[in-house]
Amino acid sequence: MQQAATPGVMAMNRRLLEDHDIERRIVDAVRAAGGTVTEADLVVRTGLPPEELGPVLRHVVLRYDCALDVRDDGSIVYRFDPRLRLREPEGRARWARIRRRAWAAFRAAFKVIIAVVLIGYVVLFVVLMIAAFVALTAARSQSNSDSRDLPSFGGDRQHGGGGGGFWFWYFVFGRDRRSRHMGSPRYGRWANDASARGKVEDGRPFYRKIYAFVFGPEEDEVDPLFTERGLLAWIRESRGVVTPTQLAARTGWSLDTAEKESTRLLAAYGGDVEVTPAGEILYLFPTVLESAEGKGAERARPAPPIWERWEREQPVTGNTTGANVVIAALNAFVFFGAFFLVPEFIAPVLGFDLSDPAVLLGLLALPGLYSLTFFLVPLLRWLGAVRPENRRRAERNVRRGVLRHVYSYSTGKAAPIVVQDALPLIEQKIPQAAHLPAKPGKGLDRALERGLDAVALEYEAEPLLVADDRQAWLFGRIAAEDAAATEARRVDRARTAGAGLGEAGEAFDQPLALDRLSRPASAHDTARERGRPAADEADVLAREIERAAQDGSSGWRN
């Protein structure tokens, strides 16, 4: 029989446990419970006291895919994925970093290599053509009477086909008036047209434009914490009180994603969850309110609503039309040289042996394969990456337009959204630069209607029939959560003023006080303490707010 440990031994064993061992015990307990646990469940299953289990549990919530549920009694339920999937597996994240660094090094070298190869072959073929043209001209001047022994271009040597090469190159490089008319003047008109349209000249080096033609425009370096900073600044601006629907409005996340990400934010920044008597969930972040910034300090910029950040169409190359034409023409010249000029003109005139491996590889195989790849990669990239990404951007922009209209009608007091009336209003508010799945009047209304239906299903909107049996949606959840958050901020503002915490902009010394919203019984307890019958909770709360405001109005913070 296993002997029970004494209290001293138990305390010593706990002190010997490292954080990674505690994490393993928590993960095992979550797995044994099927993924859904409370902190008390973990305390019982692991034998660890809350003060030791809590910090490590927060780390586990950050690492693993987890969402929070709040019961009617206010207890928090951690809902992990049953397979205990990591938010970002460590091995995958490490491998992703290695791949990014390797790809950056390869890209930096390849930018130069791809340009050198292209320009190098263009120059090489031009030099060889000039040499062949000079050789052919010299040979003709020596013997104008017998052209049958001269190498030919594009014809039968024994039937006077050699003259074809001369006339071909004379047509290409000759001083024909029509050739000059179709050359530089037309190019000059393109440049003037571009400047007349107000296009800004691309100042990138030409080798980077060549790389962009094949592999697409380079993405700007993005700060991985840019979105996080904006969210935290918005949470501070909201006095540390936000809701799932408000979080979704700022990020564009689905409600399910917003709830999962809120779990990560709560664990990372010491947040808490409160439930109003009506069952609305509030996310509280009292730690982000602590500030020593003065009135003149530059504030962090809060994240704007998602419908103020539209996405443009992703370009295939990011170059100007003129740059793409020049690059495509250069590569087409290499392709033409490898598959036509070298075997039909340069090699016969200059006496190159096409069976020689060096000639075959250097003048035919390598430039031919290079030029084919040069055109094939952008085509495959457009089919496999750019076009699907633009489709996703169009869908996200549709969602932005729908969310903007839905929140404008549902914040404060919800009003029914009539589908037929909403579609043209949504369309009018979308900027012209935003990429959309269809043009106005050519299927965009159908895409907007599908987007509105999808958002209504996601937000569990109430379907209605209004006048003339027209379909409408009522988004009550947005209005209810907005009202709850507004009331919570009002309560905190009043209690902050009553506590006399100083002028606006000074540090907050106390966390948000939302007991009356999260615990209905407290209103009745307050009434009993004052020796009068328990009144309606809303009346009691209103009187408490008014009293707090009167006690310390000098500290009111708007």
Side-chain angles (χ1 to χ4, degrees):
M1 178 180 296
Q2 186 175 2
Q3 186 175 1
T6 62
V9 174
M10 292 174 61
M12 180 181 65
N13 289 339
R14 288 197 188 103
R15 285 196 296 270
L16 292 177
L17 291 179
E18 301 290 342
D19 285 350
H20 65 83
D21 196 8
I22 297 176
E23 178 181 346
R24 179 181 57 79
R25 292 169 183 262
I26 292 175
V27 171
D28 291 342
V30 171
R31 183 179 290 109
T36 303
V37 293
T38 63
E39 185 172 345
D41 293 332
L42 295 176
V43 169
V44 173
R45 286 180 176 271
T46 62
L48 293 166
E51 58 270 15
E52 293 187 19
L53 183 139
V56 183
L57 175 60
R58 177 173 298 176
H59 175 70
V60 171
V61 169
L62 284 172
R63 288 192 61 197
Y64 291 86
D65 192 359
C66 177
L68 294 182
D69 288 336
V70 183
R71 293 174 175 170
D72 295 338
D73 59 358
S75 60
I76 298 175
V77 179
Y78 297 91
R79 184 161 44 85
F80 290 87
D81 182 89
R83 292 170 291 181
L84 287 174
R85 293 183 301 182
L86 293 171
R87 293 183 183 270
E88 186 177 8
E90 295 179 358
R92 185 185 303 173
R94 188 181 302 110
W95 175 241
R97 288 194 297 269
I98 295 174
R99 282 186 301 169
R100 284 196 299 267
R101 292 170 183 171
W103 174 249
F106 168 78
R107 188 173 58 186
F110 200 73
K111 286 177 188 177
V112 179
I113 293 174
I114 195 174
V116 168
V117 173
L118 177 64
I119 303 301
Y121 268 110
V122 169
V123 173
L124 177 62
F125 284 159
V126 169
V127 171
L128 291 177
M129 284 190 302
I130 294 175
F133 188 76
V134 171
L136 182 61
T137 304
R140 288 185 180 280
S141 64
Q142 292 178 3
S143 179
N144 292 325
S145 60
D146 187 9
S147 61
R148 291 175 296 176
D149 296 334
L150 296 175
S152 65
F153 165 62
D156 188 352
R157 292 193 184 99
Q158 297 181 356
H159 294 85
F166 176 80
W167 292 111
F168 173 80
W169 289 110
Y170 185 78
F171 175 78
V172 175
F173 292 105
R175 300 179 62 81
D176 181 73
R177 182 176 300 174
R178 182 177 61 180
S179 298
R180 295 199 309 273
H181 177 71
M182 297 176 66
S184 59
R186 181 166 55 179
Y187 181 82
R189 191 181 79 240
W190 289 346
N192 293 335
D193 290 347
S195 61
R197 289 192 297 267
K199 291 187 177 180
V200 179
E201 185 68 21
D202 190 351
R204 293 177 301 163
F206 190 64
Y207 75 90
R208 295 179 64 181
K209 297 178 184 179
I210 295 175
Y211 177 85
F213 184 93
V214 180
F215 294 101
E218 301 178 59
E219 296 181 357
D220 296 332
E221 192 73 20
V222 178
D223 184 356
L225 296 179
F226 177 80
T227 302
E228 198 88 343
R229 290 202 308 270
L231 280 179
L232 293 174
W234 164 67
I235 291 173
R236 169 177 283 187
E237 188 180 66
S238 303
R239 299 189 64 83
V241 183
V242 296
T243 68
T245 56
Q246 291 175 345
L247 190 60
R250 293 283 161 168
T251 60
W253 294 331
S254 66
L255 284 179
D256 183 61
T257 302
E259 291 172 355
K260 290 181 179 180
E261 285 297 313
S262 65
T263 305
R264 180 189 63 82
L265 291 172
L266 291 170
Y269 301 105
D272 199 359
V273 181
E274 293 283 352
V275 182
T276 69
E280 310 302 338
I281 297 177
L282 301 178
Y283 301 137
L284 311 181
F285 297 88
T287 57
V288 303
L289 298 178
E290 300 170 358
S291 175
E293 296 178 353
K295 294 182 179 180
E298 182 180 356
R299 304 288 182 176
R301 296 181 59 183
I306 189 61
W307 51 81
E308 294 182 9
R309 292 171 283 162
W310 300 89
E311 294 181 89
R312 297 175 179 268
E313 182 179 12
Q314 180 181 2
V316 180
T317 67
N319 297 331
T320 61
T321 303
N324 286 333
V325 170
V326 171
I327 295 170
L330 292 175
N331 188 64
F333 177 72
V334 174
F335 177 86
F336 182 71
F339 288 99
F340 187 67
L341 296 180
V342 171
E344 295 295 332
F345 177 66
I346 295 176
V349 171
L350 299 180
F352 292 159
D353 184 6
L354 294 180
S355 62
D356 186 352
V359 175
L360 182 63
L361 179 64
L363 296 180
L364 294 178
L366 185 58
L369 181 62
Y370 171 86
S371 58
L372 281 175
T373 306
F374 199 94
F375 281 134
L376 188 60
V377 169
L379 177 62
L380 295 178
R381 191 167 50 80
W382 176 73
L383 291 174
V386 176
R387 190 168 64 169
E389 170 61 21
N390 282 330
R391 191 181 300 116
R392 290 189 291 269
R393 291 188 180 191
E395 293 174 355
R396 290 194 292 264
N397 281 337
V398 167
R399 179 178 174 86
R400 285 178 171 91
V402 169
L403 289 177
R404 178 177 187 168
H405 188 79
V406 166
Y407 275 80
S408 65
Y409 272 72
S410 305
T411 302
K413 184 177 181 181
I417 297 177
V418 182
V419 175
Q420 295 178 355
D421 298 339
L423 299 182
L425 296 176
I426 296 173
E427 184 177 320
Q428 292 174 5
K429 295 294 184 178
I430 298 178
Q432 294 182 352
H435 181 57
L436 296 172
K439 294 182 179 180
K442 297 183 178 180
L444 180 58
D445 54 345
R446 291 192 296 272
L448 294 176
E449 185 174 1
R450 289 193 299 269
L452 180 57
D453 291 342
V455 171
L457 180 64
E458 175 187 337
Y459 281 70
E460 299 179 351
E462 180 183 356
L464 301 173
L465 286 178
V466 295
D468 301 329
D469 292 334
R470 293 186 299 170
Q471 181 185 357
W473 296 104
L474 184 64
F475 290 81
R477 177 176 178 178
I478 297 176
E481 291 188 1
D482 180 73
T486 302
E487 188 67 18
R489 298 183 191 111
R490 185 180 298 115
V491 170
D492 175 66
R493 192 180 293 116
R495 293 180 66 86
T496 301
L501 293 182
E503 298 295 332
E506 296 183 359
F508 286 82
D509 296 339
Q510 296 180 0
L512 295 178
L514 297 171
D515 293 343
R516 292 177 179 79
L517 290 177
S518 57
R519 300 177 182 84
S522 62
H524 299 275
D525 295 340
T526 303
R528 277 196 302 272
E529 290 174 0
R530 296 186 176 184
R532 51 182 170 78
D536 181 77
E537 181 183 352
D539 295 336
V540 174
L541 180 59
R543 286 192 291 271
E544 290 294 320
I545 294 173
E546 183 179 358
R547 182 182 63 81
Q550 293 175 353
D551 292 342
S553 58
S554 61
W556 190 277
R557 175 170 179 167
N558 292 320

